[in-house]
Amino acid sequence: GLIIGKNGETLEALQMLIGIYSKRKNEKAGKVIIDTENYLLRRSRKFQDIARNSAKEALRKRRRVALGPMNPAERRIIHTFLHDNPKVETKSEGEGNRRHVVIAPAAPV
């Protein structure tokens, strides 16, 4: 819990710092991913569940569903998970730390 921090913020910051350090040491260094106790997998599954349930709700109610504010990694999970679903569209709205994903039924083609 100490390494993960609130909503993964400590883990994310640690990952960023080590990534910056490794890039300074070696410009060809790849992206650094740090995980503990399968936190990243659990978080990904959590946001996939949110995406799945919100897409069902958008289709059932035939209207947009706005999710709560998320960081870029969390929004990316939602967009990627629903990318191949032709029945819904996703987009990010808002600014700064209020940026969130909106899921809506796809426009008829």
Side-chain angles (χ1 to χ4, degrees):
L2 181 64
I3 293 174
I4 295 171
K6 184 179 178 185
N7 297 322
E9 290 173 357
T10 304
L11 189 62
E12 210 171 288
L14 184 60
Q15 183 172 288
M16 183 183 73
L17 289 172
I18 293 173
I20 290 169
Y21 177 79
S22 67
K23 282 283 189 194
R24 285 188 179 166
K25 290 291 183 183
N26 179 1
E27 291 178 11
K28 295 181 182 180
K31 182 176 179 174
V32 173
I33 298 175
I34 299 174
D35 195 6
T36 182
E37 299 177 4
N38 289 322
Y39 174 77
L40 296 178
L41 177 63
R42 288 182 292 139
R43 182 179 81 159
S44 179
R45 287 183 179 162
K46 172 187 164 188
F47 283 99
Q48 288 174 359
D49 288 344
I50 290 170
R52 183 182 301 107
N53 294 334
S54 298
K56 286 179 185 177
E57 181 182 350
L59 292 171
R60 188 178 77 250
K61 294 183 176 181
R62 296 185 187 140
R63 64 180 175 91
R64 297 166 27 119
V65 173
L67 304 179
M70 297 178 190
N71 67 40
E74 295 164 347
R75 292 194 308 271
R76 192 175 311 111
I77 293 168
I78 302 287
H79 290 302
T80 302
F81 183 76
L82 294 175
H83 180 265
D84 293 329
N85 184 338
K87 296 179 181 179
V88 295
E89 298 172 344
T90 64
K91 68 177 180 175
S92 291
E93 293 182 349
E95 297 294 323
N97 61 0
R98 297 187 62 157
R99 197 146 173 85
H100 60 279
V101 175
V102 175
I103 301 170
V109 178

